[in-house]
Amino acid sequence: MFKLKIGPKVYWRKATGEVIYITAQIESPWAVETTKEDDMNFYPQLKGYDAEQLDVLKLEFDKYTQDFQGATSYLVNPSTGLLEFAYRVADGGPEPEHQAPLTDQLTELKARQDSAEAALLTLMDATTHA
């Protein structure tokens, strides 16, 4: 049976980026997408907030799962609308700053590495056939 996968939604204050509530992700053949209005009427954590003061960030299924587990805190950057995480620091160092998710940083580094390797192989091929 086909299972629909619905990722979590991050509700956050537009003014500060503070995350108010994150809905659970759902994997079920009976899963149904909900609207912001539906969620604000259903989740007690969202009741009492003015819908105009909150924004919602829809994530893909399993997106940032490891980042949420490893982070000490997270917020949405009000300027960019993107999630930022602060991660544990070894040896009680200074309080970590919020940054792009490590999974995004890793993906970017992998893409750069692949590009550099392709360029190196092209260069090596050009010098061996010269």
Side-chain angles (χ1 to χ4, degrees), residues 11 20-22 39-40 42-49 54:
Y11 282 90
I20 302 300
Y21 185 67
I22 302 173
D39 291 347
M40 291 192 73
F42 180 77
Y43 294 106
Q45 297 87 338
L46 299 175
K47 290 186 186 225
Y49 283 98
L54 295 184

Side-chain angles (χ1 to χ4, degrees), residues 15-63:
T16 63
E18 173 192 3
V19 173
I20 302 300
Y21 185 67
I22 302 173
T23 64
Q25 62 184 18
I26 302 167
E27 182 176 10
S28 168
W30 301 280
V32 175
E33 288 277 357
T34 57
T35 65
K36 180 178 177 180
E37 183 179 332
D38 293 336
D39 291 347
M40 291 192 73
N41 288 324
F42 180 77
Y43 294 106
Q45 297 87 338
L46 299 175
K47 290 186 186 225
Y49 283 98
D50 179 357
E52 294 299 315
Q53 294 176 347
L54 295 184
D55 208 346
V56 61
L57 180 63
K58 264 187 69 110
L59 301 179
E60 296 171 24
F61 189 84
D62 268 346
K63 183 80 168 181

Side-chain angles (χ1 to χ4, degrees), residues 29-113:
W30 301 280
V32 175
E33 288 277 357
T34 57
T35 65
K36 180 178 177 180
E37 183 179 332
D38 293 336
D39 291 347
M40 291 192 73
N41 288 324
F42 180 77
Y43 294 106
Q45 297 87 338
L46 299 175
K47 290 186 186 225
Y49 283 98
D50 179 357
E52 294 299 315
Q53 294 176 347
L54 295 184
D55 208 346
V56 61
L57 180 63
K58 264 187 69 110
L59 301 179
E60 296 171 24
F61 189 84
D62 268 346
K63 183 80 168 181
Y64 305 137
T65 299
Q66 289 181 308
D67 294 282
F68 281 114
Q69 291 172 350
T72 56
S73 68
Y74 42 85
L75 54 78
V76 176
N77 183 320
S79 300
T80 64
L82 300 175
L83 269 169
E84 295 182 355
F85 294 84
Y87 299 95
R88 291 177 184 88
V89 178
D91 301 327
E95 184 65 28
E97 292 185 21
H98 288 89
Q99 58 183 302
L102 290 179
T103 50
D104 287 355
Q105 292 181 45
L106 184 61
T107 300
E108 183 180 332
L109 286 173
K110 176 77 172 110
R112 285 183 184 178
Q113 179 183 2

Side-chain angles (χ1 to χ4, degrees), residues 112-128:
R112 285 183 184 178
Q113 179 183 2
D114 291 348
S115 178
E117 287 175 1
L120 184 59
L121 288 173
T122 300
L123 181 62
M124 287 172 54
D125 189 46
T127 57
T128 58

